Amino acid sequence: MNDLSRRDLLAGAAAIGAASILPLASKEAHATAPAATAQAPGFYRYKVGSIECTSINDGARSFPLPDNWVTNVSKDQAIAAAEAAYMPKGMVTVPFNPQLINTGSKLVLLDCGNGISAFNATKGQVGRVLQNLAAAGIDPKSIDVVLMSHLHPDHTNGIRAADNSMAFPNAEIMVPAKDWDFWMSEENAAKAQSNPMMKNYFANVKKIYAGIEKNVTKYDWDKEVLPGLTSIGTPGHTPGHTSFALASGNSKILISADVTNIPEFFLRNPDWHVAYDADPDLAQKTRHKFYDMAVAEKATVVGFHYPFPAVGHVEKDGNGYRLIPIAFNPVL
């Protein structure tokens, strides 16, 4: 075997460089490829036993970090967390990732995203569920069940199409009974009038479900709501916020919905409170309880606001947790 010296390498590099300096006329002309100008489709398939799941990206929204987005720490601390995660300067980025679950007997969309009105308002940043379902080869008419984890707009507004008809016309709509009772209460809505965000949430639920209230199925916690899919009460973010355990054979995953918002903030710092939580102290306790369970079980965890494809594992890290994303698997 011959050993290459630094002098040999430099001499070779010089020769290659000299050979590449040719008269312009002797070089073959090539057209520059046009820019694609559009992002690739966002869907990722994975298996839980015999059940095929697909993470369907609804987009990601970047916006200037509000002063009180994290309500119990300084904005400087929140900005430092964003910068540590290499988010755009002064901004925060929130992804959205519903899950499509094919149980074999039912095709279930777990949460349905921001909807077409949000797509138009954000110039396509969010509201991408329908186009990514199409890219994954899924006809909205084939969805049997739209299963809501809770009734915030980014999880439920996607049930309406552009003309306000049902985006999934053949689907049964299932909602957590406790969340439905809370948001449909006129008494609760009256109490929320002094809080602009909560006021808008109440109005949005009434608007989205107007005319279809009698067609909504309400489910309870700690029940197998669909084959292999068990509801887990994880309140705090909303009174009826629900997570799920999906099991098939010896395989199981935990679908955490909004137990945490973006992990760069609220998984690493589980005692931080996001502005969207209805009961921040209860949400904090729920976060610890849920993720301690996930860590103990070494469970695969899906998070609605995790970076796409939103599937990974969670480990304890000091006083908080860290997300370990799954490795991309090219086969099922």
Side-chain angles (χ1 to χ4, degrees):
M1 180 182 293
N2 294 325
D3 292 329
L4 287 176
S5 68
R6 183 171 181 273
R7 180 179 295 176
D8 295 329
L9 291 172
L10 291 173
I16 292 171
S20 66
I21 303 174
L22 299 174
L24 188 60
S26 68
K27 288 189 174 183
E28 185 178 353
H30 293 281
T32 301
T37 72
Q39 186 53 272
F43 65 92
Y44 179 77
R45 294 191 174 99
Y46 58 98
K47 295 292 288 289
V48 180
S50 63
I51 294 176
E52 184 180 274
C53 303
T54 310
S55 190
I56 302 291
N57 183 245
D58 191 45
R61 188 165 71 92
S62 294
F63 51 92
L65 184 65
D67 289 344
N68 294 312
W69 199 66
V70 185
T71 62
N72 63 337
V73 303
S74 70
K75 185 177 181 179
D76 287 343
Q77 286 177 275
I79 287 174
E83 290 180 350
Y86 293 92
M87 294 183 184
K89 189 172 181 60
M91 309 279 280
V92 64
T93 300
V94 179
F96 306 87
N97 298 287
Q99 301 298 304
L100 183 70
I101 301 169
N102 189 341
T103 70
S105 60
K106 296 284 186 181
L107 191 58
V108 181
L109 185 61
L110 204 168
D111 291 328
C112 57
N114 289 270
I116 192 65
S117 61
F119 181 90
N120 294 331
T122 64
K123 298 181 179 179
Q125 284 189 68
V126 299
R128 307 177 73 88
V129 160
L130 289 177
Q131 68 187 68
N132 281 327
L133 281 171
I138 304 297
D139 184 341
K141 294 178 182 178
S142 70
I143 303 292
D144 297 301
V145 178
V146 178
L147 177 65
M148 305 297 185
S149 64
H150 63 295
L151 302 185
H152 276 172
D154 53 327
H155 295 256
T156 197
N157 282 16
I159 61 170
R160 295 288 185 176
D163 62 358
N164 206 40
S165 65
M166 304 312 295
F168 309 99
N170 299 318
E172 176 185 9
I173 299 170
M174 299 182 68
V175 305
K178 289 187 178 183
D179 229 43
W180 181 268
D181 291 345
F182 176 78
W183 294 111
M184 285 296 181
S185 165
E186 295 293 346
E187 181 181 354
N188 290 338
K191 292 177 182 177
Q193 294 306 299
S194 61
N195 183 323
M197 183 177 67
M198 289 294 287
K199 178 181 177 180
N200 288 338
Y201 282 163
F202 276 99
N204 184 75
V205 171
K206 291 291 183 67
K207 176 183 176 182
I208 290 298
Y209 287 93
I212 61 169
E213 297 92 342
K214 293 181 180 179
N215 301 326
V216 171
T217 300
K218 294 175 275 294
Y219 66 84
D220 295 318
W221 290 340
D222 303 318
K223 306 285 186 183
E224 188 178 47
V225 295
L226 290 161
L229 198 60
T230 300
S231 58
I232 303 170
T234 48
H237 182 59
T238 68
H241 181 269
T242 306
S243 300
F244 299 90
L246 176 65
S248 173
N250 295 323
S251 298
K252 174 184 173 182
I253 64 170
L254 296 173
I255 302 173
S256 65
D258 282 13
V259 171
T260 180
N261 201 281
I262 55 172
E264 299 88 347
F265 279 43
F266 304 101
L267 197 58
R268 297 198 67 84
N269 306 284
D271 299 329
W272 286 12
H273 297 169
V274 71
Y276 312 129
D277 286 342
D279 185 337
D281 292 327
L282 180 56
Q284 177 182 333
K285 292 176 182 177
T286 293
R287 208 153 29 246
H288 282 282
K289 181 179 179 181
F290 183 91
Y291 284 111
D292 283 346
M293 174 180 69
V295 169
E297 295 183 4
K298 295 186 179 298
T300 299
V301 183
V302 178
F304 189 82
H305 295 297
Y306 289 3
F308 181 77
V311 185
H313 294 85
V314 173
E315 285 194 350
K316 200 82 174 85
D317 185 21
N319 294 324
Y321 309 88
R322 67 187 181 104
L323 175 66
I324 303 171
I326 60 164
F328 181 89
N329 190 347
V331 296
L332 287 175

